[in-house]
């Protein structure tokens, strides 16, 4: 419980973040690569030629699903409050897909792996997408697209 | 073979971390971006936990000649800052703010909320196709 933020989950967040950090550590020290989910998804769907082999990309993506299933089955139901608007899901998905490829990374590659490496490129990218995301939510709320 | 084991264990830990931390909930993620509304700081704790662990991993990496199960490290550059990096970041932020989803949670949520996550994930791959055909 965080004073002033009744809905926040600081303890679960930090522990889940710790697991994400361990996942990225294993990939870095084990296979010598960073975990960039946008790159791995692009590779798994054959939208990218560089990076890991196809089976490795598929196994990683399959692991993401398996991790969610395990937590949902053994720890408790995962809360997933999605927007009800199909238009928002389609527009959001298209723009995210285009943006992460153009910017060579997302919250995992630039955010987790790049920031912890103090990579100037990733620090700039992360600051850009967080600022853009905050501005988007503020504008969407004004336009009545909030949910 | 060993890179296959690393991939599935790393993916499972990553998906489990996303699920446990509340990051598979688009409303909570959107709440982190809603700084003028009912701000939800959870994502900052997730990022903090992950970055602390990975900072230690990078310190170890710098002392290693090669990774444990591969011939060599294969890491992206850190210095190129161009209009594609900024433009891509701006676009990603727009989509992230609109739907409350970034790539990892969108994929992991396919097993919990297949219809909504499926629409988003298919559209996201559509965006990647668009980049492959027009970008570079």
């Amino acid at each position: 419980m965080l004073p002033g933020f009744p809905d926040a989950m600081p303890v679960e967040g930090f522990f889940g973040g710790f697991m994400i950090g361990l996942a990225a550590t294993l990939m870095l020290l084990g296979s010598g690569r960073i975990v960039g989910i946008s790159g791995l998804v692009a590779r798994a769907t054959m939208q990218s030629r560089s990076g890991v082999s196809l089976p490795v990309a598929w196994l990683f993506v399959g692991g993401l699903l398996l991790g969610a299933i395990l937590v949902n089955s053994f720890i408790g139901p995962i809360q997933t409050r999605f927007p009800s608007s199909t238009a928002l899901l389609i527009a959001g998905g298209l723009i995210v897909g285009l943006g992460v490829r153009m910017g060579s990374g997302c919250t995992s590659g630039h955010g987790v792996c790049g920031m912890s490496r103090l990579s100037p490129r990733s620090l700039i990218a992360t600051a850009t997408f967080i600022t853009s995301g905050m501005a988007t939510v503020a504008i969407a709320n004004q336009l009545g697209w909030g949910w | 073979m060993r890179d296959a084991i690393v991939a599935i264990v790393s993916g499972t830990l990553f998906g489990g971390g996303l699920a446990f931390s509340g990051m598979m909930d688009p409303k909570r993620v959107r709440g982190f971006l809603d700084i003028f509304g009912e701000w939800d700081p959870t994502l900052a704790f997730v990022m903090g936990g992950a970055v602390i662990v990975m900072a230690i991993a990078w310190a170890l990496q710098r002392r290693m000649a090669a990774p444990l199960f591969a011939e060599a490290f294969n890491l992206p550059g850190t210095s190129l800052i161009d209009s594609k990096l900024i433009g891509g970041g701006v676009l990603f932020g727009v989509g992230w703010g609109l739907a409350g989803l970034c790539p990892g949670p969108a994929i992991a949520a396919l097993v919990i909320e297949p219809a909504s996550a499926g629409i988003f994930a298919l559209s996201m791959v559509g965006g990647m196709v668009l980049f492959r055909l027009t970008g570079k």
Side-chain angles (χ1 to χ4, degrees):
Chain A
M1 194 78 159
L2 198 64
F5 300 100
D7 297 327
M9 307 195 325
V11 177
E12 293 88 343
F14 192 81
F15 185 77
F18 189 84
M19 287 172 69
I20 292 171
L22 285 182
T25 297
L26 177 63
M27 186 68 94
L28 177 65
L29 303 184
S31 293
R33 292 180 177 274
I34 63 152
V35 169
I37 295 191
S38 53
L40 284 159
V41 170
R43 184 70 188 121
T45 55
M46 291 183 263
Q47 299 310 311
S48 164
R49 287 183 186 191
S50 59
V52 298
S53 69
L54 271 178
V56 162
W58 290 334
L59 284 170
F60 183 88
V61 169
L64 283 180
L65 304 179
L66 181 61
I69 291 172
L70 290 175
V71 168
N72 198 57
S73 309
F74 296 107
I75 295 178
I78 305 169
Q79 193 172 36
T80 50
R81 293 169 294 177
F82 273 72
S84 53
S85 158
T86 303
L88 268 189
L89 289 170
I90 294 176
L94 275 173
I95 301 170
V96 165
L98 184 61
V100 294
R101 294 302 292 149
M102 189 186 289
S104 307
C106 59
T107 346
S108 51
H110 282 313
V112 173
C113 297
M115 286 212 297
S116 59
R117 193 186 182 190
L118 296 178
S119 150
R121 174 170 160 82
S122 290
L123 290 168
I124 297 277
T126 306
T128 304
F129 60 68
I130 288 183
T131 306
S132 166
M134 287 177 169
T136 300
V137 168
I139 295 169
N141 286 344
Q142 292 301 314
L143 294 174
W145 297 350
W147 49 276
Chain B
M1 187 58 203
R2 284 189 294 188
D3 59 342
I5 296 169
V6 167
I8 187 145
V9 174
S10 173
T12 305
L13 265 176
F14 206 112
L18 286 174
F20 191 78
S21 64
M23 292 298 99
M24 277 173 61
D25 182 2
K27 191 166 177 68
R28 184 178 294 285
V29 172
R30 187 184 191 277
F32 173 75
L33 299 172
D34 194 8
I35 42 167
F36 302 114
E38 285 188 32
W39 191 54
D40 184 328
T42 306
L43 189 146
F45 287 89
V46 181
M47 193 57 94
V51 163
I52 288 171
V53 176
M54 267 305 276
I56 298 169
W58 283 115
L60 294 171
Q61 185 271 335
R62 288 185 198 104
R63 287 165 180 76
M64 291 164 67
L68 299 171
F69 311 123
E71 305 251 304
F73 286 102
N74 198 328
L75 300 170
T78 61
S79 57
L80 179 67
I81 293 162
D82 59 5
S83 58
K84 275 172 64 181
L85 184 78
I86 305 294
V90 169
L91 280 176
F92 169 39
V94 170
W96 194 30
L98 284 179
L101 284 156
C102 56
I107 298 296
L110 285 170
V111 291
I112 308 293
E113 191 88 31
S116 298
I119 293 170
F120 183 92
L122 275 179
S123 307
M124 179 172 81
V125 174
M128 293 177 172
V129 173
L130 205 62
F131 175 76
R132 180 171 58 81
L133 298 178
T134 62
K136 301 283 134 88

